[in-house]
Amino acid sequence: MNDLTPTREQRSAALEGMGCKRKRVEDIRFTQGKGNYVDDVKLPGMLHGDFVRSPHPHARVKKIDDSEALKVPGVLAVITAETLKTVNLAWMPTLAGDVQMVLADGKVLFQNQEVAFVVATDRYAADDGINKVIVEYEPLPPLVDPFKSMDKDAPVLREDLAGKTSGAHGPRKHHNHIFEWSVGDKELTDAAFKKAEVTIKEMISYHRTHPSPLETCQCVCSFDKIKGELTIYGTFQAPHVIRTVVSLIAKLPEQKIHVIAPDIGGGFGNKVGAYPGYICAAVASIVTGKPVKWVEDRIENLTATSFARDYHMTTEIAASKDGKVTGLRVHVLADHGAFDACADPSKWPAGFFNIVTGSYDFPTAHLAVDGVYTNKAPGGVAYRCSFRVTEAAYCIERAMDILAQKLNMDPAELRLKNFIKPEQFPYHSALGWEYDSGDYHTAMRKMMETTGYAALRKEQAEKRAAFKRGETREIMGLGVSFFTEIVGAGPSKNCDILGIAMFDSCEIRMHPTGAGIARMGTKSQGQGHETTWAQIIATEIGIPADNIMVEEGNTDTAPYGLGTYGSRSTPVAGAAIAMAARKIKAKAQMIAAYKLEVHEDDLEFDIDGFRVKGLPEKFMSMKDICWAAYNSVPPGMEPGLEAVSYYDPPNMTYPFGAYLCVMDIDVDTGVYKVRRFYALDDCGTRINPMIIEGQVHGGLTEAFAIAMGQEIRYDDTGNVVTGSFMDFFMPTAVETPHWETDFTVTPSPHHPIGAKGVGESPNVGGVPAFSNAVNDAFSFLGSTHIQMPHDFWRNWRAAKDLGAVA
Ligand code: PCD
Ligand SMILES: [Cu+]
């Protein structure tokens, strides 16, 4: 060896593998405005479609007159439910086992529902056409309040379900009832409450909100009549599922459907489901023989595609006087809007809400969820959350604070007292999950030490005394949140979407020069998969990440996978990537053994190649092995170096975290200041610490938005009153607090590289931290629970209701 021989550290650093803060490779094109999004797709002769939408939340559609619209220059066709019926597509199946109107069929059930689709030579003409379609409505009484949905005299929303006493998830109790789902031991739980020394009960609502990604939902459909092939470019978080669904409902052979998800400008759950726009654009292309583009505008996005949350959670905890929890009872009223279009694994009508026991050792628990119809937009997506996990985390974290208040205990102490202990993992929760790993006490104590928690509590006590003496008008809140997430859907034993098991996949093909291409069934929407997936491969096989090209989103080339949402990509596809890489490595080892003339077992992997044990100078680099794979493989071995892996995870992964929000609120104006926000996340093995930090910043910002103002609100008559960014809170850099991030590392024992998801965690843990801070600030004035979102007005209103403002 001479001075020019790289050291082991240098060889390892050159790979930019796992643990490296590798710069995001996709940002080279994004930061130069060179991304390629759906709206950048411009095909020859392409037409544009736009929707006529209902101004009424509930009405009978008496007549649709398109004669004037068809006279508008450029307008070529007006598609209605009647047109769709000729191809059997007036209704479409939803992911939740319900059906949904593609275009109004006799009735409309929510404001801005799609009524007709106008196809024109350009978007302006389509818009002019929309204004000329005359629809005659007969308004019906709207049902807005979910608590009144099952009243005897509640209006009948879904006439198509008349007489159906059961749905996709069992019996229905009422004409507006969708399902009842219950888990846990009711008798044991009721008994725990009977003998409890202390109990709390609170109705905790998680309001309706919306993911509102920067890029709205859109597609370009192009039908080739000669070949009978349909190509769909679209903003799809799950391209393969879209291909299968289109094949099943449009009765087109699956190999003749090409689904391509190009760059996506944020998904956040909004782009998981199937929307009427996709069907209408596809039908319009089949009818006209031309490509048809559909691009949602912001108002349409906020009011018609996939809301999130809208869970009303009546929550009870039973405990002993000294603060040991003994039982949890939760009833959820879930407002699903006009159709049950929730994006959840098929067997889970309320997603993974049964993670509601949180990070605590509840000996028994019972949960029941009732889903109901109202005259609101359908959806129910996981807005930065793995299937209703954020609702569950909010529910339990708020309730633990309420219990602490009742017991006059510190909320952090109460949590420490009830945490699942490290030695209890794998832990079986009372509601049926097996938590794979965790070390909650360490994370919580690290949070408390780093933030100076005890000193902050002392300061708060002093401020409260000063407030009572009339020396200040400012109150201080400490929002503690400790969450356990459940991500990585999922094991085929209990997770499928429309019957397809929720595995994921990776295919790696190495080229002769030591470079390669890797494809997965996932689809990045900004998460940085092109960067991180290459890092996993780099560490596993010893080829620099820069030499691995990652490609996702084309169903013709990518192996089948279930897509990116629910922070499943790292737990599922991330595992498939490692497994595929290990297959490459195993073959490489045989090739190296042959070339180095030793037995395979005499080789050991050393950063970027194989070395003969005990003979360090006998080494073959992975790069050279790639070359050899194409010219001198051992006799009998197939040439080439590629591998595919389909990974069915044995369990979910359970990331967790300890968050603290320090907030000051001026009672006279309701104006709050987030003084400090500390977020400790444990996502097991960290692939790219810089990307993780970015994910945490993004998720916390969305949590801040939701907790402090973001809401989709309907007035009493069913009008959406938050249909644009004028009223729907979208924080900018001005409002967004500063984030402090931290971590511990508790690897997942069953994941090949020990990684857990992280993308959604900050949203799941962030919302309760903000809400607990506000509630903690007001608690000494006598309140137990103040409803989100905590905007200035509501804070002022709370102060006034509590008598703190004249
Ligand atoms: N341990 C670890 C984990 C993770 N990671 C990283 O991080 C990321 C993330 O991951 P995850 O967690 O696995 O996840 P994903 O699956 O990939 O994704 C998903 C998520 O993601 C998040 N984030 C984001 N970002 C952005 N930029 N954009 C977007 O859109 C978004 N979205 C959101 C959401 S909402 Mo859902 O859908 O609601 O369910 S779910 C979600 C990526 O890159 C990865 O690689 C690392 O590094 N490490
Ligand atoms: Cu969710």
Side-chain angles (χ1 to χ4, degrees):
M1 283 209 234
N2 59 40
D3 290 348
L4 293 175
T5 311
T7 62
R8 303 195 77 235
E9 285 69 33
Q10 287 166 331
R11 280 165 54 211
S12 176
L15 298 178
E16 294 196 284
M18 282 192 272
C20 167
K21 294 184 180 173
R22 179 174 189 232
K23 282 200 183 151
R24 292 170 37 114
V25 293
E26 41 274 271
D27 288 355
I28 297 167
R29 62 178 191 278
F30 293 159
T31 53
Q32 298 181 64
K34 292 289 194 291
N36 183 40
Y37 298 90
V38 172
D39 205 28
D40 295 317
V41 175
K42 295 183 173 79
L43 302 179
M46 190 173 75
L47 305 175
H48 297 258
D50 206 354
F51 282 111
V52 175
R53 293 179 180 274
S54 167
H56 301 282
H58 194 194
R60 221 166 277 295
V61 178
K62 306 292 270 185
K63 196 172 155 212
I64 301 175
D65 177 357
D66 62 7
S67 54
E68 288 303 309
L70 287 166
K71 289 182 197 154
V72 172
V75 171
L76 300 176
V78 177
I79 293 175
T80 63
E82 296 313 311
T83 329
L84 295 179
K85 278 180 189 166
T86 62
V87 282
N88 228 338
L89 285 173
W91 291 69
M92 61 179 186
T94 70
L95 291 177
D98 196 358
V99 285
Q100 175 177 351
M101 288 177 206
V102 174
L103 289 171
D105 185 13
K107 218 177 154 179
V108 286
L109 288 162
F110 64 94
Q111 192 178 54
N112 276 358
Q113 185 179 332
E114 300 80 1
V115 176
F117 191 66
V118 176
V119 187
T121 46
D122 64 67
R123 181 70 192 262
Y124 301 97
D127 208 59
D128 291 344
I130 284 172
N131 294 318
K132 295 283 181 191
V133 176
I134 300 159
V135 187
E136 214 178 285
Y137 297 98
E138 177 197 315
L140 296 167
L143 171 59
V144 182
D145 183 352
F147 288 93
K148 296 193 176 135
S149 62
M150 292 202 278
D151 285 358
K152 254 215 184 90
D153 56 350
V156 178
L157 305 194
R158 293 289 299 277
E159 285 164 4
D160 62 301
L161 300 179
K164 284 205 175 157
T165 51
S166 76
H169 306 289
R172 300 170 64 220
K173 298 185 262 201
H174 181 275
H175 54 259
N176 293 325
H177 187 236
I178 309 173
F179 63 84
E180 181 184 0
W181 183 63
S182 67
V183 237
D185 191 324
K186 188 168 184 316
E187 265 169 49
L188 215 62
T189 308
D190 290 347
F193 275 86
K194 272 211 189 85
K195 53 177 198 254
E197 292 168 355
V198 184
T199 61
I200 61 126
K201 180 172 185 176
E202 192 68 54
M203 211 291 286
I204 300 169
S205 276
Y206 198 140
H207 57 286
R208 182 175 274 242
T209 181
H210 193 284
S212 54
L214 222 54
E215 179 202 37
T216 59
C217 299
Q218 33 199 276
C219 69
V220 176
C221 295
S222 178
F223 185 69
D224 182 327
K225 271 201 175 129
I226 309 295
K227 293 188 192 157
E229 291 181 13
L230 178 65
T231 304
I232 308 175
Y233 301 85
T235 46
F236 304 134
Q237 292 183 231
H240 281 102
V241 179
I242 294 282
R243 187 183 68 186
T244 304
V245 170
V246 171
S247 170
L248 292 174
I249 67 177
K251 311 244 166 1
L252 279 172
E254 202 166 358
Q255 84 279 13
K256 295 204 170 188
I257 304 166
H258 315 285
V259 176
I260 298 164
D263 285 330
I264 296 184
F268 308 111
N270 191 201
K271 295 164 179 170
V272 173
Y275 297 121
Y278 307 156
I279 309 266
C280 289
V283 171
S285 179
I286 293 170
V287 170
T288 61
K290 300 256 172 66
V292 176
K293 178 182 275 189
W294 169 67
V295 174
E296 241 183 0
D297 70 21
R298 179 60 56 193
I299 295 176
E300 294 180 295
N301 179 257
L302 280 171
T303 59
T305 42
S306 67
F307 76 93
R309 326 296 192 233
D310 220 341
Y311 259 33
H312 308 280
M313 311 171 287
T314 304
T315 313
E316 295 169 87
I317 298 181
S320 65
K321 275 195 300 244
D322 62 349
K324 261 294 212 194
V325 296
T326 54
L328 176 70
R329 198 157 57 190
V330 182
H331 177 266
V332 181
L333 183 67
D335 185 341
H336 284 227
F339 307 97
D340 185 4
C342 266
D344 293 311
S346 304
K347 294 187 193 75
W348 302 91
F352 302 153
F353 188 85
N354 55 327
I355 192 79
V356 68
T357 51
S359 315
Y360 315 105
D361 190 10
F362 277 97
T364 175
H366 185 255
L367 160 70
V369 182
D370 279 298
V372 295
Y373 292 120
T374 59
N375 290 117
K376 297 177 192 162
V381 295
Y383 168 10
R384 211 165 188 140
C385 125
S386 166
F387 315 119
R388 307 291 185 179
V389 173
T390 181
E391 288 92 327
Y394 182 64
C395 175
I396 187 65
E397 286 309 286
R398 202 64 276 293
M400 287 302 273
D401 261 31
I402 294 168
L403 177 64
Q405 189 182 353
K406 180 146 192 184
L407 292 167
N408 205 12
M409 259 180 95
D410 182 273
E413 289 306 324
L414 177 72
R415 285 172 172 82
L416 282 165
K417 186 157 198 163
N418 288 289
F419 278 154
I420 299 159
K421 296 183 188 68
E423 63 274 16
Q424 285 176 282
F425 292 94
Y427 172 81
H428 290 267
S429 80
L431 293 178
W433 293 113
E434 184 188 302
Y435 293 29
D436 67 344
S437 57
D439 183 354
Y440 300 164
H441 294 84
T442 304
M444 187 71 159
R445 292 209 175 97
K446 189 169 183 192
M447 179 280 271
M448 293 170 79
E449 273 157 36
T450 318
T451 58
Y453 182 78
L456 286 165
R457 280 289 175 210
K458 204 164 151 255
E459 182 191 342
Q460 183 187 43
E462 283 156 12
K463 276 200 119 172
R464 285 177 170 177
F467 184 90
K468 292 218 155 139
R469 290 193 302 269
E471 291 162 15
T472 176
R473 299 294 289 155
E474 204 177 70
I475 56 177
M476 173 181 170
L478 294 182
V480 177
S481 153
F482 195 102
F483 66 93
T484 295
E485 257 247 88
I486 166 168
V487 300
S492 59
K493 61 176 181 279
N494 51 21
C495 289
D496 70 272
I497 285 186
L498 303 173
I500 303 166
M502 294 183 77
F503 59 83
D504 224 288
S505 60
C506 169
E507 179 196 287
I508 304 173
R509 183 176 306 158
M510 297 308 297
H511 310 317
T513 56
I517 182 162
R519 298 185 172 105
M520 300 80 190
T522 46
K523 174 63 203 159
S524 185
Q525 311 122 40
Q527 291 87 344
H529 292 173
E530 285 167 53
T531 307
T532 51
W533 293 165
Q535 289 182 259
I536 300 178
I537 298 170
T539 299
E540 288 289 339
I541 69 171
I543 288 288
D546 273 348
N547 293 5
I548 305 292
M549 157 117 117
V550 170
E551 191 188 270
E552 296 176 317
N554 184 337
T555 53
D556 283 345
T557 53
Y560 204 107
L562 277 275
T564 292
Y565 42 85
S567 265
R568 65 184 298 280
S569 305
T570 302
V572 192
I577 295 164
M579 299 312 270
R582 286 172 195 183
K583 288 184 187 173
I584 297 261
K585 192 169 156 184
K587 183 169 180 184
Q589 184 162 358
M590 293 195 259
I591 298 171
Y594 174 67
K595 298 292 283 182
L596 293 169
E597 298 179 326
V598 292
H599 190 272
E600 251 177 85
D601 296 343
D602 295 331
L603 291 176
E604 60 188 357
F605 190 68
D606 179 23
I607 302 172
D608 50 9
F610 284 97
R611 197 178 293 289
V612 178
K613 290 179 197 162
L615 286 174
E617 66 289 354
K618 284 200 106 187
F619 177 80
M620 189 168 182
S621 72
M622 205 61 192
K623 186 170 188 262
D624 292 341
I625 298 172
C626 287
W627 185 258
Y630 287 86
N631 58 42
S632 48
V633 292
M637 179 188 267
E638 289 177 22
L641 193 53
E642 63 178 81
V644 189
S645 167
Y646 284 78
Y647 189 81
D648 180 8
N651 191 2
M652 307 277 182
T653 67
Y654 296 75
F656 57 93
Y659 290 6
L660 182 73
C661 172
V662 186
M663 199 185 291
D664 299 300
I665 304 172
D666 178 86
V667 291
D668 295 313
T669 58
V671 173
Y672 59 81
K673 270 202 212 85
V674 178
R675 197 201 298 179
R676 223 178 143 179
F677 198 103
Y678 170 92
L680 177 149
D681 274 280
D682 191 319
C683 56
T685 306
R686 292 149 54 87
I687 304 162
N688 184 326
M690 185 189 67
I691 285 196
I692 292 174
E693 198 178 1
Q695 287 292 310
V696 173
H697 284 193
L700 290 177
T701 306
E702 288 184 317
F704 167 68
I706 295 168
M708 305 313 285
Q710 199 171 79
E711 181 179 19
I712 294 289
R713 199 164 57 245
Y714 287 81
D715 69 12
D716 295 344
T717 59
N719 291 307
V720 195
V721 297
T722 48
S724 81
F725 285 163
M726 297 289 282
D727 324 274
F728 185 80
F729 178 44
M730 179 54 73
T732 66
V734 177
E735 295 90 5
T736 305
H738 172 75
W739 311 118
E740 292 170 55
T741 58
D742 203 347
F743 65 97
T744 52
V745 175
T746 311
S748 166
H750 60 77
H751 188 283
I753 58 169
K756 307 176 182 180
V758 78
E760 346 176 289
S761 299
N763 194 326
V764 173
V767 172
F770 285 109
S771 184
N772 280 348
V774 174
N775 277 286
D776 184 63
F778 282 106
S779 63
F780 79 114
L781 297 171
S783 74
T784 47
H785 177 67
I786 301 164
Q787 202 52 63
M788 286 195 290
H790 306 291
D791 52 26
F792 297 156
W793 185 83
R794 278 192 183 83
N795 288 343
W796 173 81
R797 188 71 244 179
K800 193 162 167 68
D801 290 347
L802 293 166
V805 191

